Amino acid sequence: MREITRVDLVGALDKEVQINVDKYKMSAAQLTFRDIENAVAFENMTISAGNVDIGGMTRSISIRGDFKDVEQIKNIIVASQSGAQMFLKDVAEVKMGYEEQESFSRLNGKNVIALNVIKRSGENLINASDKIKELVDEMKTSEFPPNLDVVITGDQSNATRVTLHDLINTIIIGFILVTIILMFFMGGTNAIFVAMSVPLSMCIAFMLLPAFGFTLNMIVLFAFLLGLGIVVDDAIVVIENTHRVYNDEKLDIVTAAKKATSEVFLPVLSGTATTLAPFFPLVFWGGIFGKFMHFLPVTIIITLTASLLVAYIINPVFAVWFMRRDGDDSIKTDPKKARRRTIAGYVLYGLALVYFYANSNWFAGNLLVVLALLIVLYRFVLQGLVERFQTKAWPAVQNIYARFLDFALGRPWTMLVGMFVLLIGSCGITASREANIVLFPKADPNFIYVYLNMPVGTDVNVTDSLTKVMERKVVEVLGANNPIVESVISNVALNASEDQFDRSATSNKGKVGVAFVEYGKRNGVSTKAYMDEIREATHGIIPGAEITVDQESGGPPTPKPISVEIRGDDFAQLSKVSMAVKRYLDSLAIPGVEELRSDLIVSKPEINIQIDRERANREGISTAQIGTEFRTAILGKEASKFRDGEDELPINIRLQKTSARISIPWKTSTLRSAI
């Protein structure tokens, strides 16, 4: 799928053919790892020997020596440099096994194999999630065994889907409220003309946004929501002026629309330009935040520019088609034609509605339904209220305003001094308050992550056991069968880092992730409270470990709020100063400091083997030979491939674990027998 950049496999065991060599038997037989490696590699081969003519036919000759089973590998004859010969099974244990497990994963306390799917940047998260679910359902019915349990958890598209629907619903509700408010001030017909500028402006913006490489993300939708009440400004001015000219000057509707639009052309243009002016500098905002917020000003600029075109072109056309006044003899309509046009309009409306819903275009279909409901609402409910508002309530408000305006114009100096005092007072109040500045405020988390960081070099099995301890603490805080918890999943070594781009298997890191159900299904329970309780419960439970509790990021990558950098040339001194500064800051117990961490990483503990070069040269042994033997003995070396069905499994040679543990304090005196 093009939406996916990679899939990380966590907790899986990889099969291999193991040749675990007994060090003492190998030494007694005067064999080396190289002898065993050559014996395995030279036997497991398929060699083409060319072509031969037989009976007028050319046939190719292949010598096939690839292994069919593990028994064949056991019975390989290994020859030493001294001429001794023996079977491989006499000096090594040969078996089908698994590579050493480098990572662990658990779901709700049970061991699982986790596939962490990473979406490609810029691709549609919801489409990717839907395709994965379809693929899993298809494989459940066709390929997976019936007793295999496949669970999709931690699906971030659920939150994205809910947020997307909430924003779209907010836009629709805002459109309804704008239309109803306009009805009270402009009447039903004119309000519909003005309200139509909202979807028309957005449609124009939707057509232009792909040209800028924009996707339908949260920032774009928020920009639409922000501009919802602004896009109608131009249409209000044009329609209201057209209505005034048409009714007061008794012109025909075409002439009235032309005159009214030309009269307000410059004011509307200047008003829109001044509204757009503050957004232009944001287009050139640099850095990570600029890239993240770039969608907002560009979307606003495109949408408001589109509203200008709608006000200048579309709204006058609407006025010519639908705006009528009583006693206008310039427009004569045949009743039969009018009836046919009405029927045709209803038919087109019904066909458009069926088309949109049939193609799952819920936004357009719901918009048509909302428009119809608004017309019905105005005709049977709001029309009387609107008439009373325009004839009684609104004139009363205008009279109050007129009296206040007379009062203000009669006392200009009093008003100026009052405004100046109000300005100074508001500035003083603002300056006296300590503003709580938060760059990106965090809402209730959909995911809570508990990170375990052990000293570098910690064995992965130790980290796994400590992660289990941390996991039990988290489950204790959440409670058994918590209805708002979707899953608790733990990763060790792989995908356990706070850095989401870190793909390395680090044996000293573990992570416990808690996925909550959608916000609407939480029954008002705050997940932030769980986050605070988990932080308190896991604090200090593992001595020497660094435990961090965090939630999913809701914005661009941000640095830590406060960073203290210590620079110098002496690394040892830097390490001492860094630890001293950390202890000092910890002792201050500064309010508001949630956690204090140092990014100082002490080098991994290691055993250094110093080669006696003089003695190694006398024995004819190079540093490369010594290093290769140690690497093969401890880490292992792939000698060849074993074909198991369609899979190719590595054949790895290494010392038996007991031998490797006994031989950790090797010295150069024992190397000769091992080489």
Side-chain angles (χ1 to χ4, degrees):
M1 291 185 288
R2 64 181 182 87
E3 292 88 356
I4 305 303
T5 182
R6 74 174 192 271
V7 178
D8 294 333
L9 197 63
V10 185
L13 290 172
D14 296 324
K15 292 180 67 176
E16 67 173 0
V17 178
Q18 298 178 353
I19 302 178
N20 300 319
V21 182
D22 188 307
K23 173 180 177 291
Y24 302 106
K25 292 181 180 179
M26 183 177 67
S27 300
Q30 295 186 343
L31 291 173
T32 66
F33 285 115
R34 174 67 68 178
D35 296 332
I36 298 175
E37 179 186 350
N38 290 339
V40 173
F42 291 160
E43 286 295 328
N44 189 36
M45 301 181 72
T46 298
I47 303 173
S48 175
N51 300 321
V52 62
D53 292 334
I54 300 177
M57 298 289 292
T58 301
R59 303 180 183 275
S60 60
I61 299 177
S62 295
I63 293 90
R64 302 189 62 85
D66 50 325
F67 298 129
K68 304 299 181 184
D69 52 48
V70 177
E71 288 298 323
Q72 291 183 346
I73 304 177
K74 291 181 179 180
N75 295 319
I76 293 176
I77 295 178
V78 184
S80 68
Q81 295 177 357
S82 60
Q85 293 184 350
M86 62 184 64
F87 293 111
L88 179 58
K89 63 184 178 182
D90 295 332
V91 294
E93 176 191 23
V94 183
K95 64 177 183 178
M96 183 72 73
Y98 295 94
E99 295 181 12
E100 186 174 353
Q101 191 167 2
E102 294 184 349
S103 62
F104 297 87
S105 184
R106 284 180 298 278
L107 176 63
N108 298 327
K110 298 180 180 179
N111 291 329
V112 296
I113 297 176
L115 278 71
N116 295 329
V117 183
I118 311 300
K119 182 184 74 71
R120 190 183 303 276
S121 177
E123 294 296 336
N124 191 311
L125 175 61
I126 295 177
N127 287 347
S129 174
D130 292 340
K131 289 182 179 179
I132 290 172
K133 291 176 181 177
E134 291 176 3
L135 180 62
V136 169
D137 292 339
E138 180 183 346
M139 297 186 72
K140 279 182 178 180
T141 57
S142 60
E143 298 185 26
F144 291 159
N147 59 346
L148 179 64
D149 190 13
V150 181
V151 179
I152 297 178
T153 184
D155 187 357
Q156 296 187 8
S157 70
N158 292 335
T160 304
R161 204 185 306 266
V162 171
T163 306
L164 178 65
H165 291 167
D166 288 345
L167 278 173
I168 292 176
N169 291 337
T170 304
I171 291 174
I172 295 175
I173 293 171
F175 170 74
I176 295 172
L177 295 177
V178 167
T179 306
I180 292 175
I181 291 172
L182 290 173
M183 284 178 176
F184 278 91
F185 290 94
M186 306 182 68
T189 305
N190 293 343
I192 294 296
F193 297 159
V194 174
M196 283 301 295
S197 62
V198 175
L200 290 174
S201 301
M202 289 186 176
C203 287
I204 295 174
F206 276 133
M207 290 188 293
L208 295 178
L209 286 178
F212 293 88
F214 284 13
T215 57
L216 190 62
N217 53 54
M218 302 304 164
I219 304 298
V220 171
L221 288 175
F222 178 75
F224 281 135
L225 182 60
L226 182 65
L228 187 64
I230 306 176
V231 295
V232 298
D233 292 349
D234 300 339
I236 289 174
V237 175
V238 172
I239 291 297
E240 182 62 27
N241 198 48
T242 303
H243 185 271
R244 181 188 61 81
V245 172
Y246 181 49
N247 286 276
D248 294 350
E249 300 184 15
K250 306 302 180 183
L251 300 174
D252 63 275
I253 185 59
V254 176
T255 306
K258 291 179 180 178
K259 183 178 180 180
T261 306
S262 62
E263 286 179 351
V264 298
F265 182 88
L266 188 58
V268 169
L269 179 61
S270 60
T272 305
T274 54
T275 304
L276 293 178
F279 292 99
F280 275 101
L282 297 179
V283 176
F284 306 99
W285 192 0
I288 296 177
F289 299 110
K291 292 182 179 179
F292 184 76
M293 298 299 295
H294 179 72
F295 302 98
L296 178 66
V298 174
T299 305
I300 288 289
I301 290 171
I302 293 174
T303 306
L304 294 188
T305 305
S307 73
L308 196 65
L309 297 176
V310 171
Y312 283 154
I313 300 173
I314 306 299
N315 286 128
V317 173
F318 282 168
V320 170
W321 280 359
F322 300 106
M323 188 178 289
R324 297 291 181 268
R325 71 168 183 266
D326 295 335
D328 187 2
D329 297 330
S330 61
I331 301 175
K332 295 182 180 179
T333 306
D334 186 358
K336 293 183 178 180
K337 292 183 179 180
R339 190 180 301 109
R340 284 198 295 268
R341 283 199 295 266
T342 302
I343 295 174
Y346 284 132
V347 171
L348 288 176
Y349 176 85
L351 292 175
L353 198 63
V354 171
Y355 173 79
F356 288 137
Y357 281 131
N359 289 276
S360 299
N361 192 343
W362 305 107
F363 178 77
N366 291 341
L367 181 62
L368 290 179
V369 172
V370 167
L371 287 175
L373 292 176
L374 283 175
I375 294 173
V376 173
L377 178 67
Y378 178 78
R379 181 68 58 86
F380 296 102
V381 179
L382 295 179
Q383 189 169 7
L385 295 175
V386 168
E387 290 177 357
R388 286 195 295 272
F389 176 81
Q390 292 181 345
T391 57
K392 295 180 180 180
W394 184 236
V397 173
Q398 288 178 318
N399 292 332
I400 295 173
Y401 170 70
R403 289 196 296 270
F404 177 77
L405 190 60
D406 289 338
F407 172 81
L409 293 176
R411 299 168 179 80
W413 287 106
T414 303
M415 299 302 297
L416 287 175
V417 172
M419 290 298 102
F420 182 75
V421 171
L422 184 61
L423 174 63
I424 299 300
S426 61
C427 293
I429 293 173
T430 304
S432 63
R433 293 178 62 247
E434 184 178 351
N436 185 17
I437 300 175
V438 179
L439 187 60
F440 283 96
K442 292 186 177 181
D444 278 4
N446 296 311
F447 300 90
I448 294 178
Y449 301 113
V450 186
Y451 298 98
L452 172 67
N453 219 346
M454 296 296 295
V456 177
T458 304
D459 185 79
V460 66
N461 293 289
V462 175
T463 305
D464 180 52
S465 64
L466 296 176
T467 304
K468 289 180 180 178
V469 174
M470 193 170 65
E471 182 181 348
R472 285 195 293 269
K473 278 290 182 183
V474 172
V475 173
E476 286 178 9
V477 172
L478 297 173
N481 302 319
N482 193 323
I484 71 168
V485 176
E486 180 182 314
S487 63
V488 178
I489 188 166
S490 302
N491 289 338
V492 178
L494 193 62
N495 280 106
S497 175
E498 294 181 61
D499 183 4
Q500 59 178 338
F501 301 106
D502 185 4
R503 299 179 59 187
S504 59
T506 47
S507 63
N508 63 313
K509 293 184 178 181
K511 182 180 75 171
V512 178
V514 181
F516 294 98
V517 297
E518 301 169 10
Y519 183 81
K521 300 178 181 179
R522 297 176 191 172
N523 301 321
V525 178
S526 172
T527 55
K528 189 172 181 59
Y530 283 118
M531 185 173 172
D532 296 334
E533 292 177 12
I534 290 173
R535 183 177 288 111
E536 293 178 4
T538 56
H539 179 71
I541 61 170
I542 302 175
E546 189 178 272
I547 298 177
T548 307
V549 181
D550 203 354
Q551 68 181 86
E552 78 280 6
S553 59
T558 56
K560 299 301 179 183
I562 300 176
S563 298
V564 179
E565 294 186 1
I566 302 172
R567 299 182 181 182
D569 298 327
D570 188 346
F571 184 78
Q573 188 66 22
L574 281 176
S575 178
K576 293 180 181 178
V577 173
S578 172
M579 298 303 295
V581 171
K582 186 177 184 298
R583 287 194 296 269
Y584 173 71
L585 293 176
D586 278 332
S587 66
L588 295 178
I590 302 172
V593 175
E594 191 172 90
E595 55 184 339
L596 189 64
R597 290 190 297 162
S598 172
D599 60 359
L600 175 66
I601 300 177
V602 182
S603 59
K604 183 178 180 180
E606 62 181 8
I607 299 174
N608 290 317
I609 299 176
Q610 302 294 331
I611 305 298
D612 186 341
R613 294 184 182 276
E614 182 178 350
R615 185 173 180 181
N617 291 336
R618 288 199 307 267
E619 300 289 346
I621 302 172
S622 67
T623 302
Q625 288 177 295
I626 297 173
T628 301
E629 291 295 304
F630 268 94
R631 181 179 178 84
T632 304
I634 299 172
L635 186 63
K637 185 175 183 180
E638 183 179 318
S640 186
K641 294 284 189 182
F642 177 79
R643 185 176 294 278
D644 183 19
E646 296 182 357
D647 299 328
E648 285 191 347
L649 308 180
I651 303 176
N652 284 323
I653 303 173
R654 62 172 65 87
L655 275 184
Q656 288 181 349
K657 288 188 176 182
T658 54
S659 299
R661 282 198 293 267
I662 293 172
S663 303
I664 285 296
W666 277 345
K667 298 181 181 178
T668 52
S669 59
T670 63
L671 289 175
R672 183 180 180 185
S673 62
I675 300 179

